[in-house]
Amino acid sequence: MAVAKTSKTAANVPQSQEELISGSEAVAQALRLADVDVISAYPIRPYDTVMQYVSKLIADGRLDCEFIVAESEHSQFEIVKHACSVGARAFCGSSGVGWMYAMECLAVTPSLRLPYLAICGNRALDDPGAFGTEHNDAMCVRDLGWMLYWVETAQEALDMTLIGYRAAEDQRLSLPCALCLDGAFLTHSAQIVSVPPQDLVNSYLPRFDLGDRVLHPDNPISIAPQANEDWLMEIRKQMDAAMRRAPEVIREAHGEFHRAFGRQGGSPFIEEYMTDDAETVLVGMGTMASPVRVMVRKLRAQGEKVGFVRVKWFRPFGTDEIRTSLQRFKAVGVVDRDFSLGAADMGGVLYNDVRATMYDAQRRPVISGFIAGLGGREIEEKDVLEMFRRTQQAGADGRGGEVTWIGVRE
Amino acid sequence: MAVLEQWRGVKAIPDIEYFASGHRTCQGCESVLVMRYIAKAAGPRTIVTGTTGCMYVANTSYYSTPWTIPWMHSQLGAAGSSAMGTAAGLKALMRKGKIKDEPINVIAFCGDGGGADMGLSAISAALTHEDYNLLMVLYDNESYANTDIQLSGSTPWGAVTTFSPAGTKHRIMHRRWKKNTPGLLAAGHSGQSKFIGTACASYGLDFMNKVRRALSAGGPTFLHTLDPCPKGWHYDPELSHEIGSLAVETGIWPLYEVNEGKLSFTGPTRNILLGRAKRKPVREYLAKQGRFAHFTDEDYDYFQRKVDDMWEHWMIPGVVAFEMDPRDASLLQK
Ligand SMILES: Cc1ncc(C[n+]2csc(CCOP(=O)(O)OP(=O)(O)O)c2C)c(N)n1
Ligand code: SF4
Ligand SMILES: [Mg+2]
């Protein structure tokens, strides 16, 4: 079992450094600190900026790893999967159609229980070609055993890379983990980031150890022989059992991180903003949190009881936290930066997950759904205002279930 | 990389098997012999990955794996990338002192569907990564065998498969000539790869020594084997070895290797080129197989002409599938 000691920051220990870097560079810095062994790259905007920073770190001798520029995303993800099988800490990533090109490899990795880390720089799926953010790419693996986290800031990108490895590699889970970064808004925007010193990271993140599942001549196992109906259901149930353990392991990983670095305290699953006495809240993931928070402050200044709940870990879904949180409110509006055409009430993926979560709540709020910001369209203050107004109105009418596309030209 | 000396004669081959019982392949399956040979030739300090196909589905079942050396499944088009990932992982861990630094062979196998069709780009990419010691073995049973014998880019012209049945309107449904996969890889990659070759399990010693030369060459290497498949080729399983030999003796499947940029022919192919043996008519090979049972004399003639072409007109017989334009031929003579 992967257990790390919490380090006490002593006076002579090197301190963290503040740097003005993008979300992508923050991930690259974390990969350096995590001493990653194998990285495979293939170009696609916007995620590939991570790989540009990685290659520079390697070129400058600051990161010692095998860096393979693959000839396709399929190979990229197979390369890291197999590197991971021999015990190497591995990293990979993609965006949009690139992520989809790797889909087969993404699909098989959780059942192999190979815990590498990937980023999905969220991008709209072609056609037509579009660079902007949309969550459907990463959402495609949501049922398969990938742990998924939606990042908001560059600091969080760095921190979550370390937390992600720690949780994923924990032998109670041994599941792959993807960090989702909104294309452009996060991958390409510079923010002040505190970059921790190496020894602090070393004390937080133990060395990767696959134990008796490592592929090596000293451990001559066969991995993933054909199973069929004899055994597949048991194997799936083991994956389910691992995912059921994930919330606890995630809480531990965040807790230890908070103790060691002083960040990422609070719930790993949700972050509430101005919700104390709120009656109406919006719920969403990723960088949309910024414009929503701005609007929350403006409406609060006018005396309105509004707030925001950001969903952070999406798989595993913070069922308990979300249920406990949202049942306090009268009206909830869920903002999806994805679409799920033909789904229940024609709602987005997050919307229907939230509704399923609230079905067994003691008190059910009225829940409205919104599809917003697709293809990287900015979610502006007026859009947030409209979503609050519609959510409030639905609450007043006691009638949920309506899904509205926001900011669409007629 | 490992240095494996050549076995001089069958008596030098050790008895021990690393690919043991437990598989469920058809009687007379030559592809499974390929597995046994590569494991034997490589020895115990080896990691093998294998793509989906007969050598996975029929070969490696949960709770009855025949592999006594470490083995892992990889996706159908992933022979090249699984080999690269395995080799890269080992390399990084050894360099960084995280595991013992020692030679470990990395072998990835794939079928013709997985390798010559779907996985060709990954195999080609792997052959450019001179940093990694690995061997990719493409076992060619000339169809997508595991899914019920469908034609692949490696299926011979005219053969009946479940996607190319002989019908009343179209006697020949499969009208594509077999892709020259080893030739195209050798022509494209021998500057980067120190070993690219062909083999056939009918010639066991030649086969295993090629595996050992490839593994000792260093860098990424490739071996393409032709494997008679009784189920897909429709013949009596006891004929497998004989049919493999006929593929070579008719000149349809030339045995060669490009070793450090130098081409040499082996086995009966060499004898044909030296004039010590005559190519047998292709009909001797084709007529033994039910998949060609619908052939007319015309079809046999067409097949023979294509094979003759390969020996008489190709720039390098059996390897490089074009010749110089006579107007430019003199340019190369200087
Ligand atoms: C991506 C993908 N497509 C299709 C299949 C179905 N499939 C399983 S085995 C197989 C045959 C592969 O043929 P080949 O590589 O020649 O190996 P063989 O079965 O002939 O040994 C196919 C098509 C698959 N496993 N994966
Ligand atoms: S179908 Fe052919 S390749 Fe597959 S197991 Fe049978 S003989 Fe071997
Ligand atoms: Mg085949």
Side-chain angles (χ1 to χ4, degrees), chain B residues 119-157:
Chain B
L120 190 60
S121 86
I123 289 173
S124 166
L127 286 171
T128 66
H129 283 270
E130 295 177 51
D131 287 350
Y132 301 129
N133 301 325
L134 54 91
L135 167 62
M136 295 166 288
V137 177
L138 193 161
Y139 70 91
D140 186 354
N141 49 26
E142 298 195 321
S143 79
Y144 288 90
N146 178 63
T147 34
D148 240 2
I149 321 292
Q150 290 88 6
L151 68 88
S152 77
S154 216
T155 301
W157 180 89

Side-chain angles (χ1 to χ4, degrees), chain A residues 282 291-292 295 379-388:
Chain A
L282 292 183
V292 177
M295 202 60 209
I379 298 177
E380 297 176 19
E381 284 181 28
K382 68 169 174 42
D383 303 321
V384 181
L385 184 62
E386 183 186 344
M387 292 190 276
F388 268 122

Side-chain angles (χ1 to χ4, degrees), chain A residues 241-315:
Chain A
M243 197 53 102
R244 283 169 190 267
R245 291 190 289 269
E248 182 197 338
V249 173
I250 284 172
R251 281 188 202 102
E252 274 176 39
H254 280 255
E256 291 289 334
F257 191 91
H258 181 60
R259 272 189 284 285
F261 301 87
R263 288 190 300 276
Q264 307 304 336
S267 165
F269 294 97
I270 54 170
E271 181 187 76
E272 299 199 10
Y273 185 72
M274 293 196 164
T275 52
D276 278 354
D277 61 344
E279 290 174 356
T280 307
V281 298
L282 292 183
V283 176
M285 304 198 293
T287 57
M288 72 171 71
S290 304
V292 177
R293 283 204 199 92
V294 171
M295 202 60 209
V296 166
R297 282 199 297 275
K298 287 194 176 169
L299 292 173
R300 281 273 170 187
Q302 295 164 26
E304 296 197 36
K305 292 183 173 175
V306 294
F308 176 61
V309 176
R310 179 166 73 99
V311 172
K312 303 197 296 180
W313 281 100
F314 178 66
R315 288 292 181 271

